[in-house]
Amino acid sequence: MTARTFGKDQKALSERALAKTVVALGSNMGDRLQIIDQAIGRIEQTVGACLARSDLVETKAVVHPDDDADWHPPFLNGVAVFATNLTPSQVLNGLLAIETDLGRQRLPDSKPWQPRPIDLDLIAIDDAIINTKDLVLPHPRMHERRFVLEPMASILPEWRHPILNRTVDDLLSSL
């Protein structure tokens, strides 16, 4: 596959085959499994059909070095792949709306490491490369995150990062 770069207008993908959209899912508040299941159902209604879903893994919360990690509940993390003909911006906006609907609050003074009922990260759309003010694909820190790579490797081990030119299995083994 040749990497695609989307311009600012991010032309609609509907003129070609459905794109494989990789979403990382995490929850560390409430009934984590139920919330993740609800998120997947809503993503299917908003973005497209779920093609694959990893098992969930429990991981320690990533926290700021100055923060007390002991009060952060552990996350359930997983990855799912969806087929879509939406633009990358439409997918991102859909994920953000689902987070809000499921109780995530993004306040101006919120810290990224605070507990949350749901966290949906757009990891990749096929091999698209996007670098705008609002969206960077592939996700700029995916290759540093075991809680993304481990579940992703179980369903997309040969997916190749279009910038680093390394497979998910290779990225995971280098952590």
Side-chain angles (χ1 to χ4, degrees):
M1 275 186 165
T2 304
R4 292 185 327 273
T5 304
F6 290 84
K8 278 189 172 184
D9 61 343
Q10 297 180 11
K11 294 180 183 176
L13 301 175
S14 59
E15 297 174 5
R16 61 172 191 79
L18 295 175
K20 287 183 181 174
T21 301
V22 182
V23 177
L25 308 105
S27 175
N28 74 337
M29 289 178 64
D31 185 336
R32 302 172 302 167
L33 179 58
Q34 180 185 27
I35 292 169
I36 289 172
D37 285 343
Q38 286 178 340
I40 289 173
R42 292 192 184 189
I43 296 168
E44 284 192 291
Q45 293 170 354
T46 307
V47 173
C50 185
L51 303 175
R53 176 180 175 176
S54 73
D55 288 336
L56 299 175
V57 295
E58 188 169 80
T59 61
K60 196 173 179 181
V62 175
V63 299
H64 188 274
D66 297 334
D67 202 356
D68 178 11
D70 292 336
W71 72 272
H72 292 273
F75 271 88
L76 273 184
N77 290 105
V79 169
V81 179
F82 300 88
T84 194
N85 63 356
L86 300 178
T87 66
S89 291
Q90 290 170 324
V91 172
L92 178 63
N93 290 334
L95 295 178
L96 293 172
I98 292 166
E99 284 184 336
T100 300
D101 289 348
L102 293 177
R104 179 157 185 190
Q105 295 181 357
R106 291 181 183 266
L107 303 173
D109 61 343
S110 291
K111 306 297 184 228
W113 58 87
Q114 291 179 323
R116 49 205 172 269
I118 192 69
D119 186 21
L120 302 175
D121 286 337
L122 181 54
I123 301 300
I125 297 181
D126 283 339
D127 53 2
I129 298 170
I130 300 172
N131 192 353
T132 67
K133 178 178 77 85
D134 298 320
L135 179 61
V136 177
L137 286 181
H139 190 285
R141 291 174 302 286
M142 70 165 287
H143 62 284
E144 302 168 348
R145 295 179 168 175
R146 181 173 299 279
F147 62 87
V148 170
L149 293 174
E150 193 170 287
M152 192 171 170
S154 72
I155 58 175
L156 290 172
E158 295 302 316
W159 179 82
R160 187 169 293 277
H161 192 293
I163 297 170
L164 302 176
N165 197 29
R166 295 172 66 192
T167 66
V168 172
D169 273 349
D170 186 38
L171 293 168
L172 179 59
S173 68
S174 67
L175 287 181

